[in-house]
Amino acid sequence: MSSLSSSSSSSSIFAKNVGIKDLLVGEAETVGVRYIPGRQNAHPPLRIYYPASQKQQQPEQRTSLFAPEGYGFFLTGYLHVIGCKHGTWLHRYVLSPLLTMVGASLSFLSYYNVPLCLQLHAPAGVLTPDAPPIGATTTTKKKKKYPLIVFSHGLSGTGHENTLLHLAWAKLGFVVVSVHHTDGSSARVRLYSSSLDDAADNDTTSTYEDRYYEHGPSFQNYDPNFRPNQIQKRANDLKQAVGYVTKSKNTILEDDLSSIIDTDTIILSGFSYGAATAALAMYNNPGWFDNNENSKKGGLILLDGWFYIDVMKSAGVEFEFPSQVFEHYRQSKEKNGNTIPSVFINSQQFSKYPKLYKATCDLEELISPQSSGVEKSGDSNMHVLEGTTHQNFVDMIWWGVPLFLLQKLKVIGPMDARDAYQNILHICAEFLKKNFQ
């Protein structure tokens, strides 16, 4: 049921010794990117990646791996997450201004590729803002359509921590929408005042609200409904994102990007809390998937998912998560319900937590049950990467932080971090090619 991937290759000090371009395989000349600011009561912030053509007669530029708010914006959010909370004197007047200056400095150094600086910009020609989508300008009535992938980030993260993964998928021939959640589970997110006019969606001159991470209840007074209620809001963010990019009239996307999206093929993906969010969004929106009443296709790419809540014994709280997904597919299995193409990629760290890993394996078996009458190929849906931790699944290793330090602190596992990342990309690519291309 489970496949193990391992590597004994040694780590060099900086991940930048391996070029980002080496990870991206596909026919697209470049990957285009558009940032859609979030709107209150409308949709969360979105970053959209897509197969694109190089702009003609324009110099190639290095493009930020993060959103336009800047690195200092997110650094102050992470500061709030670890305990120096927004609104305190220390955060507002000392650390926040300091980190804003640090972020601006890192941005400058990274853009000009100063040796040993953080690689917070993609190499020139890899990521191109507002590049024309491939096929969008064709005069033929039947334009090439690309399947849609919608991605949910992890708890206390942002919609920009898996940028290289999204680049790789877009390079393969997918439109990827990265959702920056607005429910209090992201480090920091900015939402502009709501507008019914789509023409204002790219306007960032109106009033806005910054939402910071919402720290959960203490273990001693844990509310078992806290995460279930929160994840419903996250799943609704995914629904709003799908609705935004697939609606017929859309000023920002109209006539080019919207015309190349295959709205009949929607793949949900996520990391950690985001994997559970993707599973819940699948359950909440069965119309996105083949239900024997339409021709729609769907799938799941779930990265090191958080599928079991197991709070300290003193709180006495533990359950499969999201519980309604498990309950629904157990009933569907008894009725020989439809299978959904899915792949689960897990860290060795999470596989060592018995209850969590059992829930992950149970969910995989429920979504693609052996008893459904569908023959499974020799390829496994379940993968565990030996020598990895949870943080091997985010872009941290490409930000220039010394890998030996991350390994010494056990932030990442002993497996060569670049090899682990390449394995994740390879497994995803094989799954996508087999099921959706």
Side-chain angles (χ1 to χ4, degrees), residues 107-136:
S107 177
F108 176 84
L109 294 173
S110 178
Y111 183 82
Y112 289 102
N113 203 22
V114 175
L116 303 184
C117 74
L118 298 184
Q119 289 207 346
L120 298 174
H121 283 77
V126 170
L127 186 62
T128 308
D130 299 317
I134 293 178

Side-chain angles (χ1 to χ4, degrees), residues 13-209:
I13 294 180
F14 290 95
K16 71 178 212 170
N17 293 332
V18 174
I20 290 175
K21 288 185 177 180
D22 297 332
L23 297 174
L24 308 179
V25 179
E27 297 181 359
E29 296 176 13
T30 185
V31 173
V33 60
R34 295 185 188 179
Y35 179 64
I36 312 297
R39 293 284 167 188
Q40 295 177 9
N41 305 315
H43 59 79
L46 308 173
R47 211 177 190 203
I48 305 175
Y49 307 82
Y50 53 92
S53 302
Q54 291 281 21
K55 288 185 176 181
Q56 298 297 320
Q57 299 179 342
Q58 291 191 15
E60 292 183 344
Q61 293 186 349
R62 293 167 57 80
T63 303
S64 172
L65 296 179
F66 280 76
E69 288 92 345
Y71 313 122
F73 179 89
F74 297 102
L75 289 174
T76 55
Y78 294 138
L79 187 67
H80 171 84
V81 170
I82 63 175
C84 185
K85 295 185 179 181
H86 165 69
T88 62
W89 183 90
L90 180 63
H91 186 287
R92 177 176 297 178
Y93 296 109
V94 180
L95 295 178
S96 182
L98 177 62
L99 288 179
T100 299
M101 290 189 291
V102 169
S105 300
L106 292 176
S107 177
F108 176 84
L109 294 173
S110 178
Y111 183 82
Y112 289 102
N113 203 22
V114 175
L116 303 184
C117 74
L118 298 184
Q119 289 207 346
L120 298 174
H121 283 77
V126 170
L127 186 62
T128 308
D130 299 317
I134 293 178
T137 58
T138 181
T139 57
T140 59
K141 290 184 178 180
K142 190 172 183 180
K143 297 182 179 180
K144 181 175 177 58
K145 302 280 189 177
Y146 297 98
L148 179 65
I149 301 177
V150 183
F151 187 87
S152 171
H153 65 75
L155 182 65
S156 77
T158 75
H160 314 289
E161 294 178 347
N162 297 90
T163 296
L164 298 183
L165 184 67
H166 303 153
L167 282 173
W169 291 345
K171 184 78 171 175
L172 282 173
F174 294 82
V175 175
V176 184
V177 177
S178 177
V179 177
H180 195 155
H181 285 291
T182 63
D183 60 289
S185 64
S186 66
R188 184 180 180 184
V189 61
R190 177 164 293 175
L191 285 172
Y192 290 87
S193 58
S194 183
S195 172
L196 298 178
D197 181 8
D198 282 346
D201 273 350
N202 61 349
D203 170 36
T204 56
T205 61
S206 58
T207 58
Y208 62 83
E209 171 195 1

Side-chain angles (χ1 to χ4, degrees), residues 163-327:
T163 296
L164 298 183
L165 184 67
H166 303 153
L167 282 173
W169 291 345
K171 184 78 171 175
L172 282 173
F174 294 82
V175 175
V176 184
V177 177
S178 177
V179 177
H180 195 155
H181 285 291
T182 63
D183 60 289
S185 64
S186 66
R188 184 180 180 184
V189 61
R190 177 164 293 175
L191 285 172
Y192 290 87
S193 58
S194 183
S195 172
L196 298 178
D197 181 8
D198 282 346
D201 273 350
N202 61 349
D203 170 36
T204 56
T205 61
S206 58
T207 58
Y208 62 83
E209 171 195 1
D210 283 348
R211 296 181 183 175
Y212 286 80
Y213 177 73
E214 180 182 352
H215 292 82
S218 67
F219 290 150
Q220 289 72 23
N221 300 296
Y222 194 80
D223 178 5
N225 294 316
F226 177 70
R227 294 300 180 198
N229 290 339
Q230 186 180 61
I231 199 174
Q232 283 288 2
K233 298 176 184 177
R234 288 172 61 96
N236 188 59
D237 279 346
L238 298 192
K239 183 177 181 179
Q240 289 180 337
V242 171
Y244 181 83
V245 300
T246 60
K247 63 183 179 180
S248 58
K249 283 292 182 181
N250 192 314
T251 304
I252 294 179
L253 304 182
E254 188 177 6
D255 294 334
D256 59 357
L257 189 52
S258 62
S259 68
I260 67 167
I261 297 176
D262 178 5
T263 58
D264 287 335
T265 305
I266 300 177
I267 301 136
L268 301 179
S269 181
F271 163 64
S272 189
Y273 201 16
T277 303
L280 181 60
M282 169 197 66
Y283 163 77
N284 287 346
N285 302 278
W288 292 350
F289 298 85
D290 180 11
N291 57 10
N292 293 329
E293 296 178 2
N294 57 46
S295 59
K296 293 182 181 293
K297 289 184 62 179
L300 292 169
I301 302 176
L302 305 178
L303 307 177
D304 222 23
W306 183 19
F307 299 120
Y308 197 85
I309 289 184
D310 186 9
V311 185
M312 295 174 60
K313 291 182 179 180
S314 59
V317 176
E318 57 179 290
F319 51 88
E320 295 170 329
F321 182 68
S323 57
Q324 58 268 55
V325 176
F326 284 86
E327 293 168 3

Side-chain angles (χ1 to χ4, degrees), residues 149-155 158-169 176-178 231 234 238 267-280 299-308 321 341-351 356-357 360-361 363-364 367 380-385 388-395 420-432:
I149 301 177
V150 183
F151 187 87
S152 171
H153 65 75
L155 182 65
T158 75
H160 314 289
E161 294 178 347
N162 297 90
T163 296
L164 298 183
L165 184 67
H166 303 153
L167 282 173
W169 291 345
V176 184
V177 177
S178 177
I231 199 174
R234 288 172 61 96
L238 298 192
I267 301 136
L268 301 179
S269 181
F271 163 64
S272 189
Y273 201 16
T277 303
L280 181 60
L300 292 169
I301 302 176
L302 305 178
L303 307 177
D304 222 23
W306 183 19
F307 299 120
Y308 197 85
F321 182 68
S342 59
V343 63
F344 293 69
I345 310 176
N346 307 283
S347 67
Q348 185 177 30
Q349 177 188 7
F350 269 27
S351 74
L356 171 59
Y357 189 58
T360 304
C361 292
L363 183 60
E364 184 273 337
I367 292 175
S380 175
N381 296 333
M382 182 71 67
H383 303 264
V384 176
L385 302 182
T388 59
T389 69
H390 198 49
Q391 297 305 318
N392 276 102
F393 286 76
V394 296
D395 290 351
Y421 206 94
Q422 287 177 307
N423 281 347
I424 294 169
L425 294 181
H426 174 74
I427 294 170
C428 290
E430 292 301 308
F431 169 77
L432 291 170

